[in-house]
Amino acid sequence: MLGDGYEMRYVDHPDDYSGQVRSTIIRKLSSCGGNKGVLYVHGFNDYFFQSEMGDRFVDSCYNFYAVDLRKYGRSLLPGQKPFQVRDMKEYFADIDSAIAQMKDDGIDEIILMGHSTGGLTTSLYMACLLYTSPSPRDRTRSR
């Protein structure tokens, strides 16, 4: 569907209030190799289909990953209500699973990129990480 070099896999997550839940990780690895990668998070009423964008990153020596969030695109299961979410933080497990895949693939320089509502989701994700992780000052004190 996306073209040569694109791969995808499903990630099953614990059931939620509507039943079974999964996300989908799409990737295209750069022939440059390297440890740099981009994770793209789509917006509302969307999923990843912009292969030209992924190809541009790959051609620029970035490994490209995208996640179809739960109840969107390739992740939508029969009987599910599309886009149903009660808390934006439900998407964090989907992002975490994609980042874990990137790390398993040797990517340790990760750029998180969101389009439209995906920008809101990634901003919330990063803000929650900042506020729940020890501050640099606290980490220095504990040494």
Side-chain angles (χ1 to χ4, degrees), residues 8-142:
M8 61 161 269
R9 78 175 183 89
Y10 297 117
V11 178
D12 293 320
H13 297 283
D15 291 358
D16 71 4
Y17 40 84
S18 66
Q20 185 181 359
V21 177
R22 73 177 180 196
S23 62
T24 308
I25 301 170
I26 300 99
R27 75 176 180 183
K28 185 172 185 177
L29 301 178
S30 173
S31 61
C32 301
N35 63 342
K36 300 184 300 184
V38 173
L39 174 59
Y40 173 80
V41 179
H42 61 79
F44 182 75
N45 197 28
D46 205 357
Y47 63 99
F48 175 70
F49 62 90
Q50 303 88 339
S51 58
E52 298 85 10
M53 177 181 58
D55 292 344
R56 176 69 58 95
F57 279 110
V58 168
D59 291 345
S60 299
C61 295
Y62 285 86
N63 297 290
F64 182 79
Y65 293 74
V67 59
D68 281 358
L69 300 170
R70 59 188 63 209
K71 302 174 189 172
Y72 283 87
R74 297 166 192 86
S75 302
L76 186 64
L77 294 166
Q80 284 184 332
K81 183 177 179 181
F83 331 123
Q84 182 184 30
V85 65
R86 295 179 181 173
D87 187 327
M88 295 292 287
K89 292 177 184 175
E90 292 174 35
Y91 297 134
F92 289 6
D94 306 353
I95 296 169
D96 285 342
S97 65
I99 290 173
Q101 178 66 60
M102 294 174 81
K103 289 181 177 180
D104 286 348
D105 291 345
I107 309 299
D108 59 13
E109 292 183 36
I110 298 172
I111 297 170
L112 190 56
M113 176 179 151
H115 168 72
S116 190
T117 308
L120 172 67
T121 304
T122 56
S123 296
L124 179 63
Y125 179 85
M126 292 305 298
C128 286
L129 281 180
L130 289 172
Y131 288 113
T132 59
S133 298
S135 72
R137 183 176 174 184
D138 291 338
R139 285 194 296 265
T140 306
R141 284 185 191 162
S142 63

